[in-house]
Structures are given as structure tokens and as C-alpha cells.
Amino acid sequence: KAFFSVSDSTNGAELWVADFTANTFTLVKDILTGSGSGLSGDVGAFMVNGKLVFKAYTSATQQNLFVSNGTSAGTVQIGSSLGAYAALGDVLVFADGNSISAANLSGSSPVKVELVNASSAVLKMQSDSDQAFFSLANGDLYATKGTTATTVKLASSVKNFKMVADNALYFVVTNTQ
């Protein structure tokens, strides 16, 4: 399958898919119904285990985060925005406004959970083979494998961090005295 943005006078710019095994080229979903364009501007598209993750307009001014398996029923909104993100197999960990969320993209309907409701913005996110690490503007550093049970606060007052190897972080803590 290949995903495209196609613009026409009936639907505007929307998500289409070419299925080369079935020799079909079809509109996936008219996200901004009518002639408005759901896929105008930067859609920030990327793939997670065969599914397309992208931003689309749901009104003239509001862009939201979607995932698509190439069918209308399998194209659903999973967030209100996309900041930093990490793909951990079928799980997408992402900054969604001032929260960190995860969406399990396996199966036909993604399941989204909020991992951390942050009062400050996400500054940085990095990942290794099985977990994501993220720091907040308030200095908190977290690790997660994409579930609430596996999300832990590692440190406070962190100035910066860097992933140096699988399961190995280097971080600098600000002296709070």
C-alpha cells in the first residue's frame, strides 16, 4: 500500500491509498468533510508497523493526530496534537499538548492512554529498542514502555539528557541548593 494526498473539487486534499495487490486507488476518508482540505500544509506523516500516523485538519483552524490502516473505519483520531514521539513496536508514545500519551496501534481500533499529565511542556524525547525517555520543562525525567504501569519518573531537576546506548542514559542534574 502507498498513501497519498490527492486534491479534488469534491473533497479537497484528503488521504488516498493505492493498494497494489488489489490494483485499487481509493479515497480513504474525507476527514474535513466537503471541499475543505484535511491534508493541507505539513502533515508530519510517518509509518508505525504498517500504519500511517499523520496530522489532519478537522476544522479550518484545528489540526489533530490520526492513524490509518488504509480503510475509512481504520482511520481514527488518536490525539489533538503531535509533538515529540517515539515508536516502540506497535505502540506510539507522543507529546499531546501538555501530556504524554501512548496509543497501541495493533488491532483495528487504537487504544490511547494518558501516561503523564504534565503541567509543563515536553522538551525532549528519545527512545531505544523498547522504551522512551522524555524530559519536561519543569526538569522531570521519565521512562516508559508505553503503559501507565511502566511509566516511571527517573529524576527531578534534570537539565539535559542523552541516550547513549540501549537502556543507558546520560543526564545532567541542576544543583538545587
Side-chain angles (χ1 to χ4, degrees):
K1 290 183 181 182
F3 292 94
F4 299 91
S5 172
V6 174
S7 183
D8 64 27
S9 59
T10 303
N11 300 302
E14 295 293 346
L15 183 65
W16 289 66
V17 66
D19 185 338
F20 299 113
T21 57
N23 287 329
T24 59
F25 185 75
T26 55
L27 173 67
V28 174
K29 190 170 196 167
D30 190 0
I31 295 170
L32 184 56
T33 56
S35 61
S37 294
L39 297 184
S40 63
D42 178 19
V43 298
F46 59 94
M47 299 295 290
V48 175
N49 279 358
K51 295 186 179 174
L52 182 70
V53 178
F54 62 100
K55 297 179 290 184
Y57 282 95
T58 53
S59 73
T61 58
Q62 180 64 44
Q63 222 178 13
N64 291 296
L65 184 63
F66 285 80
V67 63
S68 179
N69 66 0
T71 67
S72 181
T75 302
V76 296
Q77 182 179 335
I78 59 170
S80 60
S81 63
L82 176 65
Y85 66 88
L88 307 173
D90 282 331
V91 176
L92 176 66
V93 177
F94 59 101
D96 188 14
N98 276 348
S99 69
I100 299 293
S101 297
N104 188 329
L105 304 182
S106 65
S108 58
S109 182
V111 177
K112 177 187 168 188
V113 294
E114 184 178 274
L115 303 177
V116 175
N117 186 348
S119 58
S120 61
V122 176
L123 291 182
K124 184 177 189 178
M125 184 179 295
Q126 293 185 344
S127 62
D128 63 14
S129 62
D130 67 341
Q131 58 193 331
F133 302 92
F134 56 92
S135 63
L136 304 177
N138 67 3
D140 292 344
L141 176 65
Y142 288 85
T144 186
K145 291 187 179 201
T147 67
T148 53
T150 61
T151 302
V152 294
K153 183 176 173 181
L154 299 175
S156 297
S157 303
V158 173
K159 185 175 179 179
N160 197 2
F161 80 95
K162 180 176 175 130
M163 185 93 209
V164 292
D166 206 37
N167 295 317
L169 284 179
Y170 169 79
F171 58 94
V172 177
V173 177
T174 304
N175 185 350
T176 59
Q177 294 184 23

